[in-house]
Amino acid sequence: MRQLVQNISDQIGKETFALICFLAFLFLTFSSLTPRFLTAANLSSMAFQLPVLGILTLAMLAPILSGGLNLAIIFTANLSGLTLAWTLLQAGGPDAGIFAFIIGVAAALAVGAAAGLVMGLAVAYTGAHPILVSLAMMIFLRGLGEFLTRGGDISGFPEFVGTIGHGSLFLIPIPMIIFTLVALAWHIMLVSTKHGFSVYMIGSNLNASEYSGIPTKKTLTLIYTFSGVLCGIAGILMVSRFNSVRVGHGEALLLVTVLACFLGGIDPFGGFGKVMPVVIALIILQVLSSGLNLLGANQHLSTAVWGLFLILVMVIRHVVNQLRNYLARRE
C-alpha cells in the first residue's frame, strides 16, 4: 500500500498529491458534519459557482508564472460583459437573436484581448512593472465602465443567455464544461508549446531568457493578451450567471485568484507551477466555502478561513523546505 501511494505521488507530484489528500479530508469532514454536503443539489451548486472564479484564476496564472501580475482581471471581465450586454441591447434586448449573441461574444473577447494587449505591450516594451501597468489599466477600466453605465446595472437579455449560466449538458453544468475546456487548453499551452516554455523561462530569469534567444517581448505581450481573453470568457459567464452586468461585479474575487494560485504551488516570483494543482486548490476553496455555508457560518468567516489556510500552507511549506535542507546537509 505504501509503495502504491509512493508511485501515485511520484507520478502526479508530491504537492498535487498532498492537495488531493487534503481535498479528500475536507469531503469526509463536511460529509460527516452535515448530511446535505454530499447531496446532488450541493455538488451541483458548487459546480455552478466555481467556473467564474476558476477562469479568472487561470487569467491570473500565466502573468504570475512570468514573474508579473494582472490586477485588472476583474474590470477587464466587467468591461467585456458590458460589451456583450450593449450588443444584445442594441439588437433588441430580450428579443435579440443568436446571431447578435455571437457578435456580442466576439466583441467581448476582443475587448478583453485589447486590454491585455495594451498591458502586455507596456510591460514588454517599456519595462514598466506589471503591478503598476495592470493597476493603471484597472483604474482606467473601472472609470470607463462607471462612465458608460453611470454606476448602474444593465439587464434585459434573451432567455437563452441565462441557459449558458444555469443550464446543464448531460447533467454537467455548462459553466463547468467551459471551465474544464479552458483549463485543459491552458495546461496544454503551458506544457506542450514553445510559448509555454518561454513563459516558464521568463519567470525563472528574464535577462537570461533574452540572451538565450527567447522572444521575451513577444511572449510577454501574448501572456497578457491571452489573460485578457480569459477575462472576456469570465465576463460572458458572469452575464449569463447574474442576468445583469455592473462594474465591480466579482471585485472581491481578485485576491482570491492570487490565493488560489499560491495555494496551487505557483511560485510568487515566477517560473514554477502547473495548472492541475491550481484547479485542485480552487476546488478546495469552493468546498471550504460551501461546507462552512451549510454549517451556518457567515460568508465573511469563509473568507477569513481562506486567508488562514493560505498562511498555514506557507508555514508548512517553509517547515518542509527547512527539513529537507537539514536532511541534505546531514547526508
Side-chain angles (χ1 to χ4, degrees), residues 9-87:
S9 177
D10 292 338
Q11 286 291 326
I12 66 175
K14 293 181 179 180
E15 186 137 13
T16 303
F17 182 69
L19 287 172
I20 292 174
C21 290
F22 184 72
L23 178 60
F25 168 76
L26 287 179
F27 265 90
L28 289 173
T29 300
F30 284 122
S31 60
S32 63
L33 292 175
T34 170
R36 293 182 295 166
F37 182 77
L38 283 182
T39 61
N42 184 56
L43 295 177
S44 176
S45 176
M46 289 193 292
F48 277 111
Q49 294 177 43
L50 176 65
V52 170
L53 173 61
I55 294 176
L56 288 171
T57 300
L58 294 178
M60 182 67 78
L61 172 61
I64 293 179
L65 281 176
S66 68
L69 202 66
N70 184 359
L71 296 176
I73 57 172
I74 303 299
F75 292 102
T76 302
N78 289 162
L79 201 65
S80 297
L82 284 173
T83 303
L84 172 59
W86 180 84
T87 304

Side-chain angles (χ1 to χ4, degrees), residues 54-243:
I55 294 176
L56 288 171
T57 300
L58 294 178
M60 182 67 78
L61 172 61
I64 293 179
L65 281 176
S66 68
L69 202 66
N70 184 359
L71 296 176
I73 57 172
I74 303 299
F75 292 102
T76 302
N78 289 162
L79 201 65
S80 297
L82 284 173
T83 303
L84 172 59
W86 180 84
T87 304
L88 292 173
L89 290 180
Q90 294 303 307
D95 299 321
I98 189 67
F99 181 72
F101 177 74
I102 293 173
I103 296 297
V105 167
L109 295 178
V111 166
L117 176 63
V118 171
M119 286 188 289
L121 290 173
V123 171
Y125 289 93
T126 69
H129 198 285
I131 291 179
L132 296 178
V133 173
S134 60
L135 179 62
M137 179 59 72
M138 179 184 75
I139 295 171
F140 167 73
L141 293 176
R142 180 171 190 168
L144 179 61
E146 294 284 3
F147 170 75
L148 294 174
T149 63
R150 292 174 173 78
D153 293 4
I154 297 179
S155 58
F157 310 129
E159 289 186 9
F160 65 82
V161 174
T163 303
I164 297 174
H166 299 276
S168 300
L169 185 64
F170 303 114
L171 300 180
I172 303 175
I174 293 176
M176 180 56 72
I177 294 175
I178 295 173
F179 169 63
T180 302
L181 293 176
V182 170
L184 181 61
W186 217 233
H187 169 75
I188 294 172
M189 182 197 71
L190 288 174
V191 303
S192 303
T193 66
K194 291 182 179 179
H195 172 72
F197 175 77
S198 299
V199 171
Y200 284 107
M201 291 302 99
I202 288 174
S204 298
N205 192 312
L206 176 61
N207 293 328
S209 299
E210 192 165 5
Y211 289 137
S212 64
I214 290 176
T216 55
K217 290 182 172 58
K218 175 184 176 182
T219 301
L220 284 170
T221 302
L222 288 176
I223 285 171
Y224 287 90
T225 302
F226 290 155
S227 176
V229 171
L230 289 192
C231 292
I233 296 174
I236 294 166
L237 275 182
M238 289 165 74
V239 171
S240 64
R241 282 284 297 159
F242 305 134
N243 198 34

Side-chain angles (χ1 to χ4, degrees), residues 237-272:
L237 275 182
M238 289 165 74
V239 171
S240 64
R241 282 284 297 159
F242 305 134
N243 198 34
S244 67
V245 60
R246 175 177 57 83
V247 176
H249 261 166
E251 192 171 1
L253 298 179
L254 176 61
L255 295 180
V256 181
T257 63
V258 179
L259 186 155
C261 286
F262 293 162
L263 177 59
I266 303 299
D267 192 317
F269 301 104
F272 301 94

